[in-house]
Amino acid sequence: MTTTEAPPAEIGRPRTRKEDQHLITGHSTFTDSMVLPGMVHLAMVRSPLAHATITSIDTTAARKAPGVVGVWTGRDFPEQGGLACAWPITPDMKSPVHLPVPTDTVNHVGEIVAVIAARTKAEAVDAVELVDVQYSELPVVTDLAAARDGSAPVIHGDLGTNVSATWVFDSGAAGTGGDASAAIEAARSDPDQIVVERTFRQQRLIPAYMEPRSTVCDPNGAGDQITIWSATQIPHILRTMLTLSQGIPEGKLRIIAPDVGGGFGGKLEVTPEEVATIMVARQLGKPAKYTETRSETMMAAHHGRDQIQHLTMSARKDGTITGFDVDLTANMGAYLALVGPGVPILGAFMYNAIYKIPAYRFSCTNVFTNEVMTDAYRGAGRPEATFAIERMMDELATELGMDPIEVRRRNWIRHEEFPFTTVAGLTYDSGNYEEATDKALRHFGYDDLRAEQQRRRESGDRIQLGIGTSTFTEMCGLAPSRVLGSLSYGAGGWEAASIRMLPTGVVEVVTGISPHGQGHVTGFSQIVADRLGVPFENVKILHGDTNISAKGLDTYGSRSLAVGGIAVVKAADKVIAKAKTIAAHLLEASEDDIDFAHGSFTVRGTESSVTIGDIALATFTGHNLPDGVESSLDSEAVFDPENFSFPHGTHLCAAEVDTETGKVTIRKYVAVDDVGVVINPLLVDGQVHGGLAQGIAQALYEEAQYSADGQLTSGTFVDYLVPSAVDLPDYITDKTITPSTSNPLGVKGVGEAGTIASTPAVVNAVLDAVRQFGVADIPMPMTPARVWQAIQDGSTAAGSNSSSTGGAA
Amino acid sequence: MAKITVAVDGTTYQDEVEPRMLLVQYLREKVGKTGTLVGCDTSNCGACTVLFDGVSVKSCSVLAVQADGHEVTTIEGLAGINGELHPVQQAFHDKHALQCGYCTPGMIMRSVSLLKENPHPTEAEIREGLNGNLCRCTGYQNIVAAVQQAADALATAGGAR
Ligand code: FES
Ligand code: FES
């Protein structure tokens, strides 16, 4: 074989990040830091009302204010098109027109009614107060149930209803399982079965990325190019959608996502602010910048979650589930966001989770309210699903007086049963729930904590202990294009990559994904270094500029590695295949006798070899290539996965509840995740930590609240409690590894796992601590006030709660 | 307009500023110190944290005119003259204490100040000390670990910096 020493495998190494240097030294390139010559600054006049007709707008005084270059109302933008929703979940889905700057009616607080451009941001903001807008108030709808049942006034008169669409999956009809309604009906009269019915509220959350959104538009590029820098997760989708919705030819648009300060789904949007900035820049023929304040982000950028979940589960008294019915009401807000209608539907395939449920029905009704739109937020549909099922597993355990882990064991798919086709019709390729759970239990010290819990109960300790479990899975790596097509999604789920082999040994990798903190530059460098046998340092990853990375579908849905990373692998394999032909020529051997390992091509059974770098140089000079072979190793690939990947894991939470104050403290949190093959454990842990923080925050701290008149009452970081370091525990993380079989690296996704798993673990723990006082449920976030009140009331503080055993009980 | 003289990262600047101008606006818009970032409008996030005469402040809650005659150190002035990273910067890199990097300048500046106030903090003291700085990406665990590493590094170096 080869004489070269095998370099240590890059995959699996805890490499520190290539991304860090400029961020830790203050040389960041966030959009708001960009200044262009002659640039104007924008400020928005926003509606203070949730639902109103605009009767007049007087901009005279604002136009005369110092430094003001122009003021526009909706009518001054005849070129504006309605913002598009890319996910019509049903053929009859109702979708109101959503103008970036509405002309007649505002439908939520914070809608833009006028745009001001000035020499400085301060001058633009000063002029906001000079715009006189008169409104005529309309009735406001904020109640989801009333929006659904028709008792609320209709918001969009032309639609005639507040219901946008109802989407149904029924395993009986789909042929993937039994009829859930029939199974549950049968259980009601079966003395050996129990039916558990619960209603949970998925509160509204705000993504709360640390960087407020910002857009700069330069309309004056050579060749009519319009360059847009934006704090976005989706430069490619933004480009396409700007063409489709605003009619700007795609060829003119160059979108750059420079450093982006977090997204979590919150920057997966084509926003009114982006369109307004582009329209002003084009009308003025000057560069324009708009950066929102935090208060504007909270009020006008899309929110997440916000569902009522009505759940009915039937099970035999030994704990075996026999049927599960899920009925959701999902709040779309005032308009349909880019993928908003599809977000709850992404959960449809996950309510059955890791369990063998024989009959399953899912129905989701999307409704309009006078609140800001909802769309993707970390997990998008799957945290809601996991919360529902994992809460129900604990409810079932409670009803049956069983250990919650045991109930799960009786129902989950055993490791020898993979691949397993679920009642929702997905095929889980791999997993080992037993191993992950056993490992988590060991880290946790389950039996000791249960014993301590018992002691505290018996002694009537002020601090009570609860233990919460969440054995979750998720579908990620969005997505097989065919599956997306079957769900009427407006695009595919492939990803693109290309590799350029430079003559000096540098490998340039262009990827269509668009990172904003995840560490893809480092992770992808490791993959390419291993695949091509080149030093990690020699790999350069380029992304986030549609002129450089012309093809891509961007970053969301834990897809970057499991889809984008595989596209990179495929491109690398093409480079190797091209190089092999040239290697055979240079080594004067048959291609069949050439082996490739660790960056070198070797003639089998000899010492003669040539490196891939040598071949890159040979293609640069072109002096000695085989006949008919093009002088390039550069390659492109597009990868469209055949299946999702299914990370899973077991999370255990021990929560202490101070029964006198209601304060919850997380005593211990163990997360054992199976994300398949790990490219970089440092990055994986970072993703899990951050995900946990957001999931725990949903359980304990965060809620976007609207008053009955549609005012956001949690509109700043004073009222919307993003947790700080003191609010969160030290996490114990570990892994099991069952490689995914749906991609050649065996990787799954990790970006959303922590968020998806942790919320029910925490809520289950708190309830486990206080059920003894007669508490059945506490709505999220479980604030001290709510926990204390629930203990006082000794009964549920939220939603309905009923259960019935079959006939003989 | 008010005339101010401020030393920022070792250079002295003289400017006319509006009395209402915030220090963070002055740093970003007048001095070009765009390494210092803005994350909120209620002084909650800490993204804008700088050292003011060596002590951390949220530069969105200080007026530029208040900086007249004072010294400000931003994230851009923290590394050594030859680019040698400050132990806190190095620790943030080593411990993977940043993801998107938006909270990072503020987190680092606050950590520098925290370690001056308390060179050997416990985990709880670190968490308490960073209470005014929000990070949405990391879940804080690696930030805490970075501050611990930096504390050790500074102790070994005799707390010279
Ligand atoms: S910008 Fe200063 S604290 Fe948020
Ligand atoms: S690293 Fe993104 S906010 Fe802290």
mmCIF file with all atom_site columns, all heavy atoms in Angstrom, chain A residues 495 497 524 527 559-572 637 639 742-747:
data_model
loop_
_atom_site.group_PDB
_atom_site.id
_atom_site.type_symbol
_atom_site.label_atom_id
_atom_site.label_alt_id
_atom_site.label_comp_id
_atom_site.label_asym_id
_atom_site.label_entity_id
_atom_site.label_seq_id
_atom_site.pdbx_PDB_ins_code
_atom_site.Cartn_x
_atom_site.Cartn_y
_atom_site.Cartn_z
_atom_site.occupancy
_atom_site.B_iso_or_equiv
_atom_site.pdbx_formal_charge
_atom_site.auth_seq_id
_atom_site.auth_comp_id
_atom_site.auth_asym_id
_atom_site.auth_atom_id
_atom_site.pdbx_PDB_model_num
ATOM 1   N N   . GLU A 1 495 ? -29.983 19.646 -1.685 1.00 0.00 ? 495 GLU A N   1
ATOM 2   C CA  . GLU A 1 495 ? -28.988 20.685 -1.428 1.00 0.00 ? 495 GLU A CA  1
ATOM 3   C C   . GLU A 1 495 ? -27.834 20.507 -2.402 1.00 0.00 ? 495 GLU A C   1
ATOM 4   O O   . GLU A 1 495 ? -27.593 19.408 -2.905 1.00 0.00 ? 495 GLU A O   1
ATOM 5   C CB  . GLU A 1 495 ? -28.501 20.643 0.025  1.00 0.00 ? 495 GLU A CB  1
ATOM 6   C CG  . GLU A 1 495 ? -27.723 21.869 0.450  1.00 0.00 ? 495 GLU A CG  1
ATOM 7   C CD  . GLU A 1 495 ? -28.375 23.191 0.022  1.00 0.00 ? 495 GLU A CD  1
ATOM 8   O OE1 . GLU A 1 495 ? -29.217 23.687 0.756  1.00 0.00 ? 495 GLU A OE1 1
ATOM 9   O OE2 . GLU A 1 495 ? -28.047 23.720 -1.067 1.00 0.00 ? 495 GLU A OE2 1
ATOM 10  N N   . ALA A 1 497 ? -23.705 21.461 -3.689 1.00 0.00 ? 497 ALA A N   1
ATOM 11  C CA  . ALA A 1 497 ? -22.336 21.805 -3.283 1.00 0.00 ? 497 ALA A CA  1
ATOM 12  C C   . ALA A 1 497 ? -21.436 21.719 -4.500 1.00 0.00 ? 497 ALA A C   1
ATOM 13  O O   . ALA A 1 497 ? -21.718 20.988 -5.445 1.00 0.00 ? 497 ALA A O   1
ATOM 14  C CB  . ALA A 1 497 ? -21.842 20.849 -2.207 1.00 0.00 ? 497 ALA A CB  1
ATOM 15  N N   . PHE A 1 524 ? -17.790 21.031 7.898  1.00 0.00 ? 524 PHE A N   1
ATOM 16  C CA  . PHE A 1 524 ? -17.638 20.655 6.493  1.00 0.00 ? 524 PHE A CA  1
ATOM 17  C C   . PHE A 1 524 ? -16.154 20.539 6.133  1.00 0.00 ? 524 PHE A C   1
ATOM 18  O O   . PHE A 1 524 ? -15.766 19.714 5.313  1.00 0.00 ? 524 PHE A O   1
ATOM 19  C CB  . PHE A 1 524 ? -18.338 21.670 5.578  1.00 0.00 ? 524 PHE A CB  1
ATOM 20  C CG  . PHE A 1 524 ? -19.843 21.531 5.544  1.00 0.00 ? 524 PHE A CG  1
ATOM 21  C CD1 . PHE A 1 524 ? -20.516 20.809 6.519  1.00 0.00 ? 524 PHE A CD1 1
ATOM 22  C CD2 . PHE A 1 524 ? -20.588 22.108 4.532  1.00 0.00 ? 524 PHE A CD2 1
ATOM 23  C CE1 . PHE A 1 524 ? -21.906 20.675 6.497  1.00 0.00 ? 524 PHE A CE1 1
ATOM 24  C CE2 . PHE A 1 524 ? -21.980 21.982 4.491  1.00 0.00 ? 524 PHE A CE2 1
ATOM 25  C CZ  . PHE A 1 524 ? -22.637 21.269 5.476  1.00 0.00 ? 524 PHE A CZ  1
ATOM 26  N N   . ILE A 1 527 ? -15.115 17.100 7.084  1.00 0.00 ? 527 ILE A N   1
ATOM 27  C CA  . ILE A 1 527 ? -15.624 16.076 6.156  1.00 0.00 ? 527 ILE A CA  1
ATOM 28  C C   . ILE A 1 527 ? -14.769 16.040 4.893  1.00 0.00 ? 527 ILE A C   1
ATOM 29  O O   . ILE A 1 527 ? -14.343 14.984 4.425  1.00 0.00 ? 527 ILE A O   1
ATOM 30  C CB  . ILE A 1 527 ? -17.096 16.379 5.784  1.00 0.00 ? 527 ILE A CB  1
ATOM 31  C CG1 . ILE A 1 527 ? -17.990 16.196 7.025  1.00 0.00 ? 527 ILE A CG1 1
ATOM 32  C CG2 . ILE A 1 527 ? -17.564 15.497 4.644  1.00 0.00 ? 527 ILE A CG2 1
ATOM 33  C CD1 . ILE A 1 527 ? -19.415 16.712 6.828  1.00 0.00 ? 527 ILE A CD1 1
ATOM 34  N N   . ARG A 1 559 ? -31.040 20.374 8.507  1.00 0.00 ? 559 ARG A N   1
ATOM 35  C CA  . ARG A 1 559 ? -30.764 19.774 7.212  1.00 0.00 ? 559 ARG A CA  1
ATOM 36  C C   . ARG A 1 559 ? -29.332 19.991 6.734  1.00 0.00 ? 559 ARG A C   1
ATOM 37  O O   . ARG A 1 559 ? -28.897 19.341 5.781  1.00 0.00 ? 559 ARG A O   1
ATOM 38  C CB  . ARG A 1 559 ? -31.724 20.344 6.163  1.00 0.00 ? 559 ARG A CB  1
ATOM 39  C CG  . ARG A 1 559 ? -31.468 21.827 5.808  1.00 0.00 ? 559 ARG A CG  1
ATOM 40  C CD  . ARG A 1 559 ? -32.576 22.408 4.957  1.00 0.00 ? 559 ARG A CD  1
ATOM 41  N NE  . ARG A 1 559 ? -32.787 21.677 3.726  1.00 0.00 ? 559 ARG A NE  1
ATOM 42  C CZ  . ARG A 1 559 ? -32.078 21.868 2.611  1.00 0.00 ? 559 ARG A CZ  1
ATOM 43  N NH1 . ARG A 1 559 ? -31.117 22.761 2.578  1.00 0.00 ? 559 ARG A NH1 1
ATOM 44  N NH2 . ARG A 1 559 ? -32.331 21.160 1.536  1.00 0.00 ? 559 ARG A NH2 1
ATOM 45  N N   . SER A 1 560 ? -28.606 20.894 7.372  1.00 0.00 ? 560 SER A N   1
ATOM 46  C CA  . SER A 1 560 ? -27.348 21.328 6.773  1.00 0.00 ? 560 SER A CA  1
ATOM 47  C C   . SER A 1 560 ? -26.341 20.196 6.640  1.00 0.00 ? 560 SER A C   1
ATOM 48  O O   . SER A 1 560 ? -25.701 20.051 5.607  1.00 0.00 ? 560 SER A O   1
ATOM 49  C CB  . SER A 1 560 ? -26.758 22.485 7.587  1.00 0.00 ? 560 SER A CB  1
ATOM 50  O OG  . SER A 1 560 ? -27.618 23.595 7.480  1.00 0.00 ? 560 SER A OG  1
ATOM 51  N N   . LEU A 1 561 ? -26.211 19.394 7.672  1.00 0.00 ? 561 LEU A N   1
ATOM 52  C CA  . LEU A 1 561 ? -25.260 18.285 7.592  1.00 0.00 ? 561 LEU A CA  1
ATOM 53  C C   . LEU A 1 561 ? -25.855 17.105 6.836  1.00 0.00 ? 561 LEU A C   1
ATOM 54  O O   . LEU A 1 561 ? -25.253 16.577 5.901  1.00 0.00 ? 561 LEU A O   1
ATOM 55  C CB  . LEU A 1 561 ? -24.834 17.871 9.006  1.00 0.00 ? 561 LEU A CB  1
ATOM 56  C CG  . LEU A 1 561 ? -23.936 16.645 9.075  1.00 0.00 ? 561 LEU A CG  1
ATOM 57  C CD1 . LEU A 1 561 ? -22.649 16.869 8.283  1.00 0.00 ? 561 LEU A CD1 1
ATOM 58  C CD2 . LEU A 1 561 ? -23.607 16.314 10.524 1.00 0.00 ? 561 LEU A CD2 1
ATOM 59  N N   . ALA A 1 562 ? -27.062 16.707 7.232  1.00 0.00 ? 562 ALA A N   1
ATOM 60  C CA  . ALA A 1 562 ? -27.633 15.478 6.679  1.00 0.00 ? 562 ALA A CA  1
ATOM 61  C C   . ALA A 1 562 ? -28.006 15.619 5.204  1.00 0.00 ? 562 ALA A C   1
ATOM 62  O O   . ALA A 1 562 ? -28.123 14.623 4.493  1.00 0.00 ? 562 ALA A O   1
ATOM 63  C CB  . ALA A 1 562 ? -28.845 15.048 7.495  1.00 0.00 ? 562 ALA A CB  1
ATOM 64  N N   . VAL A 1 563 ? -28.183 16.831 4.718  1.00 0.00 ? 563 VAL A N   1
ATOM 65  C CA  . VAL A 1 563 ? -28.438 17.031 3.297  1.00 0.00 ? 563 VAL A CA  1
ATOM 66  C C   . VAL A 1 563 ? -27.268 17.801 2.666  1.00 0.00 ? 563 VAL A C   1
ATOM 67  O O   . VAL A 1 563 ? -26.624 17.314 1.734  1.00 0.00 ? 563 VAL A O   1
ATOM 68  C CB  . VAL A 1 563 ? -29.773 17.773 3.051  1.00 0.00 ? 563 VAL A CB  1
ATOM 69  C CG1 . VAL A 1 563 ? -30.099 17.789 1.562  1.00 0.00 ? 563 VAL A CG1 1
ATOM 70  C CG2 . VAL A 1 563 ? -30.912 17.116 3.827  1.00 0.00 ? 563 VAL A CG2 1
ATOM 71  N N   . GLY A 1 564 ? -26.961 18.986 3.201  1.00 0.00 ? 564 GLY A N   1
ATOM 72  C CA  . GLY A 1 564 ? -25.878 19.800 2.640  1.00 0.00 ? 564 GLY A CA  1
ATOM 73  C C   . GLY A 1 564 ? -24.517 19.126 2.755  1.00 0.00 ? 564 GLY A C   1
ATOM 74  O O   . GLY A 1 564 ? -23.695 19.187 1.825  1.00 0.00 ? 564 GLY A O   1
ATOM 75  N N   . GLY A 1 565 ? -24.270 18.485 3.880  1.00 0.00 ? 565 GLY A N   1
ATOM 76  C CA  . GLY A 1 565 ? -22.985 17.796 4.083  1.00 0.00 ? 565 GLY A CA  1
ATOM 77  C C   . GLY A 1 565 ? -22.815 16.641 3.112  1.00 0.00 ? 565 GLY A C   1
ATOM 78  O O   . GLY A 1 565 ? -21.708 16.359 2.639  1.00 0.00 ? 565 GLY A O   1
ATOM 79  N N   . ILE A 1 566 ? -23.926 15.996 2.791  1.00 0.00 ? 566 ILE A N   1
ATOM 80  C CA  . ILE A 1 566 ? -23.848 14.854 1.866  1.00 0.00 ? 566 ILE A CA  1
ATOM 81  C C   . ILE A 1 566 ? -23.616 15.350 0.445  1.00 0.00 ? 566 ILE A C   1
ATOM 82  O O   . ILE A 1 566 ? -22.899 14.722 -0.337 1.00 0.00 ? 566 ILE A O   1
ATOM 83  C CB  . ILE A 1 566 ? -25.128 13.988 1.954  1.00 0.00 ? 566 ILE A CB  1
ATOM 84  C CG1 . ILE A 1 566 ? -25.381 13.578 3.402  1.00 0.00 ? 566 ILE A CG1 1
ATOM 85  C CG2 . ILE A 1 566 ? -25.007 12.767 1.050  1.00 0.00 ? 566 ILE A CG2 1
ATOM 86  C CD1 . ILE A 1 566 ? -24.249 12.901 4.107  1.00 0.00 ? 566 ILE A CD1 1
ATOM 87  N N   . ALA A 1 567 ? -24.181 16.502 0.109  1.00 0.00 ? 567 ALA A N   1
ATOM 88  C CA  . ALA A 1 567 ? -23.898 17.087 -1.214 1.00 0.00 ? 567 ALA A CA  1
ATOM 89  C C   . ALA A 1 567 ? -22.398 17.350 -1.349 1.00 0.00 ? 567 ALA A C   1
ATOM 90  O O   . ALA A 1 567 ? -21.802 17.110 -2.403 1.00 0.00 ? 567 ALA A O   1
ATOM 91  C CB  . ALA A 1 567 ? -24.698 18.376 -1.403 1.00 0.00 ? 567 ALA A CB  1
ATOM 92  N N   . VAL A 1 568 ? -21.789 17.806 -0.258 1.00 0.00 ? 568 VAL A N   1
ATOM 93  C CA  . VAL A 1 568 ? -20.343 18.044 -0.270 1.00 0.00 ? 568 VAL A CA  1
ATOM 94  C C   . VAL A 1 568 ? -19.588 16.730 -0.494 1.00 0.00 ? 568 VAL A C   1
ATOM 95  O O   . VAL A 1 568 ? -18.640 16.652 -1.293 1.00 0.00 ? 568 VAL A O   1
ATOM 96  C CB  . VAL A 1 568 ? -19.901 18.725 1.054  1.00 0.00 ? 568 VAL A CB  1
ATOM 97  C CG1 . VAL A 1 568 ? -18.382 18.748 1.172  1.00 0.00 ? 568 VAL A CG1 1
ATOM 98  C CG2 . VAL A 1 568 ? -20.469 20.139 1.145  1.00 0.00 ? 568 VAL A CG2 1
ATOM 99  N N   . VAL A 1 569 ? -20.021 15.685 0.190  1.00 0.00 ? 569 VAL A N   1
ATOM 100 C CA  . VAL A 1 569 ? -19.391 14.373 0.014  1.00 0.00 ? 569 VAL A CA  1
ATOM 101 C C   . VAL A 1 569 ? -19.508 13.911 -1.434 1.00 0.00 ? 569 VAL A C   1
ATOM 102 O O   . VAL A 1 569 ? -18.542 13.420 -2.040 1.00 0.00 ? 569 VAL A O   1
ATOM 103 C CB  . VAL A 1 569 ? -20.041 13.336 0.974  1.00 0.00 ? 569 VAL A CB  1
ATOM 104 C CG1 . VAL A 1 569 ? -19.627 11.920 0.608  1.00 0.00 ? 569 VAL A CG1 1
ATOM 105 C CG2 . VAL A 1 569 ? -19.679 13.654 2.416  1.00 0.00 ? 569 VAL A CG2 1
ATOM 106 N N   . LYS A 1 570 ? -20.686 14.085 -1.999 1.00 0.00 ? 570 LYS A N   1
ATOM 107 C CA  . LYS A 1 570 ? -20.906 13.641 -3.388 1.00 0.00 ? 570 LYS A CA  1
ATOM 108 C C   . LYS A 1 570 ? -20.012 14.430 -4.352 1.00 0.00 ? 570 LYS A C   1
ATOM 109 O O   . LYS A 1 570 ? -19.487 13.871 -5.321 1.00 0.00 ? 570 LYS A O   1
ATOM 110 C CB  . LYS A 1 570 ? -22.373 13.840 -3.793 1.00 0.00 ? 570 LYS A CB  1
ATOM 111 C CG  . LYS A 1 570 ? -23.360 13.080 -2.924 1.00 0.00 ? 570 LYS A CG  1
ATOM 112 C CD  . LYS A 1 570 ? -23.622 11.702 -3.482 1.00 0.00 ? 570 LYS A CD  1
ATOM 113 C CE  . LYS A 1 570 ? -24.582 10.932 -2.575 1.00 0.00 ? 570 LYS A CE  1
ATOM 114 N NZ  . LYS A 1 570 ? -24.553 9.495  -2.798 1.00 0.00 ? 570 LYS A NZ  1
ATOM 115 N N   . ALA A 1 571 ? -19.864 15.721 -4.099 1.00 0.00 ? 571 ALA A N   1
ATOM 116 C CA  . ALA A 1 571 ? -18.991 16.526 -4.957 1.00 0.00 ? 571 ALA A CA  1
ATOM 117 C C   . ALA A 1 571 ? -17.541 16.067 -4.806 1.00 0.00 ? 571 ALA A C   1
ATOM 118 O O   . ALA A 1 571 ? -16.801 15.969 -5.791 1.00 0.00 ? 571 ALA A O   1
ATOM 119 C CB  . ALA A 1 571 ? -19.125 18.007 -4.603 1.00 0.00 ? 571 ALA A CB  1
ATOM 120 N N   . ALA A 1 572 ? -17.150 15.756 -3.575 1.00 0.00 ? 572 ALA A N   1
ATOM 121 C CA  . ALA A 1 572 ? -15.779 15.282 -3.345 1.00 0.00 ? 572 ALA A CA  1
ATOM 122 C C   . ALA A 1 572 ? -15.543 13.960 -4.077 1.00 0.00 ? 572 ALA A C   1
ATOM 123 O O   . ALA A 1 572 ? -14.477 13.732 -4.662 1.00 0.00 ? 572 ALA A O   1
ATOM 124 C CB  . ALA A 1 572 ? -15.525 15.121 -1.845 1.00 0.00 ? 572 ALA A CB  1
ATOM 125 N N   . ALA A 1 637 ? -22.341 18.797 -7.125 1.00 0.00 ? 637 ALA A N   1
ATOM 126 C CA  . ALA A 1 637 ? -23.300 17.732 -6.841 1.00 0.00 ? 637 ALA A CA  1
ATOM 127 C C   . ALA A 1 637 ? -24.534 18.301 -6.174 1.00 0.00 ? 637 ALA A C   1
ATOM 128 O O   . ALA A 1 637 ? -24.471 19.318 -5.490 1.00 0.00 ? 637 ALA A O   1
ATOM 129 C CB  . ALA A 1 637 ? -22.664 16.667 -5.946 1.00 0.00 ? 637 ALA A CB  1
ATOM 130 N N   . PHE A 1 639 ? -27.652 16.769 -3.766 1.00 0.00 ? 639 PHE A N   1
ATOM 131 C CA  . PHE A 1 639 ? -28.100 15.575 -3.047 1.00 0.00 ? 639 PHE A CA  1
ATOM 132 C C   . PHE A 1 639 ? -29.545 15.760 -2.610 1.00 0.00 ? 639 PHE A C   1
ATOM 133 O O   . PHE A 1 639 ? -29.912 16.774 -2.018 1.00 0.00 ? 639 PHE A O   1
ATOM 134 C CB  . PHE A 1 639 ? -27.219 15.342 -1.816 1.00 0.00 ? 639 PHE A CB  1
ATOM 135 C CG  . PHE A 1 639 ? -27.682 14.180 -0.971 1.00 0.00 ? 639 PHE A CG  1
ATOM 136 C CD1 . PHE A 1 639 ? -27.624 12.876 -1.462 1.00 0.00 ? 639 PHE A CD1 1
ATOM 137 C CD2 . PHE A 1 639 ? -28.180 14.387 0.309  1.00 0.00 ? 639 PHE A CD2 1
ATOM 138 C CE1 . PHE A 1 639 ? -28.057 11.803 -0.684 1.00 0.00 ? 639 PHE A CE1 1
ATOM 139 C CE2 . PHE A 1 639 ? -28.617 13.312 1.086  1.00 0.00 ? 639 PHE A CE2 1
ATOM 140 C CZ  . PHE A 1 639 ? -28.560 12.015 0.589  1.00 0.00 ? 639 PHE A CZ  1
ATOM 141 N N   . SER A 1 742 ? -29.648 6.367  5.901  1.00 0.00 ? 742 SER A N   1
ATOM 142 C CA  . SER A 1 742 ? -30.174 7.088  4.741  1.00 0.00 ? 742 SER A CA  1
ATOM 143 C C   . SER A 1 742 ? -29.155 8.030  4.105  1.00 0.00 ? 742 SER A C   1
ATOM 144 O O   . SER A 1 742 ? -29.498 8.757  3.185  1.00 0.00 ? 742 SER A O   1
ATOM 145 C CB  . SER A 1 742 ? -31.476 7.827  5.098  1.00 0.00 ? 742 SER A CB  1
ATOM 146 O OG  . SER A 1 742 ? -31.324 8.576  6.263  1.00 0.00 ? 742 SER A OG  1
ATOM 147 N N   . ASN A 1 743 ? -27.933 8.045  4.623  1.00 0.00 ? 743 ASN A N   1
ATOM 148 C CA  . ASN A 1 743 ? -26.898 8.837  3.959  1.00 0.00 ? 743 ASN A CA  1
ATOM 149 C C   . ASN A 1 743 ? -25.532 8.200  4.196  1.00 0.00 ? 743 ASN A C   1
ATOM 150 O O   . ASN A 1 743 ? -25.342 7.477  5.180  1.00 0.00 ? 743 ASN A O   1
ATOM 151 C CB  . ASN A 1 743 ? -26.943 10.300 4.424  1.00 0.00 ? 743 ASN A CB  1
ATOM 152 C CG  . ASN A 1 743 ? -26.585 10.443 5.892  1.00 0.00 ? 743 ASN A CG  1
ATOM 153 O OD1 . ASN A 1 743 ? -25.436 10.223 6.287  1.00 0.00 ? 743 ASN A OD1 1
ATOM 154 N ND2 . ASN A 1 743 ? -27.562 10.792 6.709  1.00 0.00 ? 743 ASN A ND2 1
ATOM 155 N N   . PRO A 1 744 ? -24.581 8.472  3.294  1.00 0.00 ? 744 PRO A N   1
ATOM 156 C CA  . PRO A 1 744 ? -23.294 7.763  3.353  1.00 0.00 ? 744 PRO A CA  1
ATOM 157 C C   . PRO A 1 744 ? -22.432 8.110  4.562  1.00 0.00 ? 744 PRO A C   1
ATOM 158 O O   . PRO A 1 744 ? -21.510 7.357  4.881  1.00 0.00 ? 744 PRO A O   1
ATOM 159 C CB  . PRO A 1 744 ? -22.602 8.166  2.044  1.00 0.00 ? 744 PRO A CB  1
ATOM 160 C CG  . PRO A 1 744 ? -23.310 9.379  1.565  1.00 0.00 ? 744 PRO A CG  1
ATOM 161 C CD  . PRO A 1 744 ? -24.705 9.290  2.076  1.00 0.00 ? 744 PRO A CD  1
ATOM 162 N N   . LEU A 1 745 ? -22.690 9.211  5.245  1.00 0.00 ? 745 LEU A N   1
ATOM 163 C CA  . LEU A 1 745 ? -21.896 9.516  6.435  1.00 0.00 ? 745 LEU A CA  1
ATOM 164 C C   . LEU A 1 745 ? -22.502 8.908  7.695  1.00 0.00 ? 745 LEU A C   1
ATOM 165 O O   . LEU A 1 745 ? -21.869 8.887  8.748  1.00 0.00 ? 745 LEU A O   1
ATOM 166 C CB  . LEU A 1 745 ? -21.778 11.035 6.629  1.00 0.00 ? 745 LEU A CB  1
ATOM 167 C CG  . LEU A 1 745 ? -20.899 11.826 5.662  1.00 0.00 ? 745 LEU A CG  1
ATOM 168 C CD1 . LEU A 1 745 ? -20.949 13.310 6.022  1.00 0.00 ? 745 LEU A CD1 1
ATOM 169 C CD2 . LEU A 1 745 ? -19.455 11.337 5.678  1.00 0.00 ? 745 LEU A CD2 1
ATOM 170 N N   . GLY A 1 746 ? -23.742 8.464  7.610  1.00 0.00 ? 746 GLY A N   1
ATOM 171 C CA  . GLY A 1 746 ? -24.398 7.925  8.805  1.00 0.00 ? 746 GLY A CA  1
ATOM 172 C C   . GLY A 1 746 ? -24.814 8.995  9.804  1.00 0.00 ? 746 GLY A C   1
ATOM 173 O O   . GLY A 1 746 ? -25.061 8.718  10.970 1.00 0.00 ? 746 GLY A O   1
ATOM 174 N N   . VAL A 1 747 ? -24.887 10.242 9.311  1.00 0.00 ? 747 VAL A N   1
ATOM 175 C CA  . VAL A 1 747 ? -25.211 11.351 10.215 1.00 0.00 ? 747 VAL A CA  1
ATOM 176 C C   . VAL A 1 747 ? -26.726 11.563 10.279 1.00 0.00 ? 747 VAL A C   1
ATOM 177 O O   . VAL A 1 747 ? -27.469 11.180 9.389  1.00 0.00 ? 747 VAL A O   1
ATOM 178 C CB  . VAL A 1 747 ? -24.533 12.664 9.769  1.00 0.00 ? 747 VAL A CB  1
ATOM 179 C CG1 . VAL A 1 747 ? -23.027 12.503 9.801  1.00 0.00 ? 747 VAL A CG1 1
ATOM 180 C CG2 . VAL A 1 747 ? -24.994 13.074 8.364  1.00 0.00 ? 747 VAL A CG2 1
#
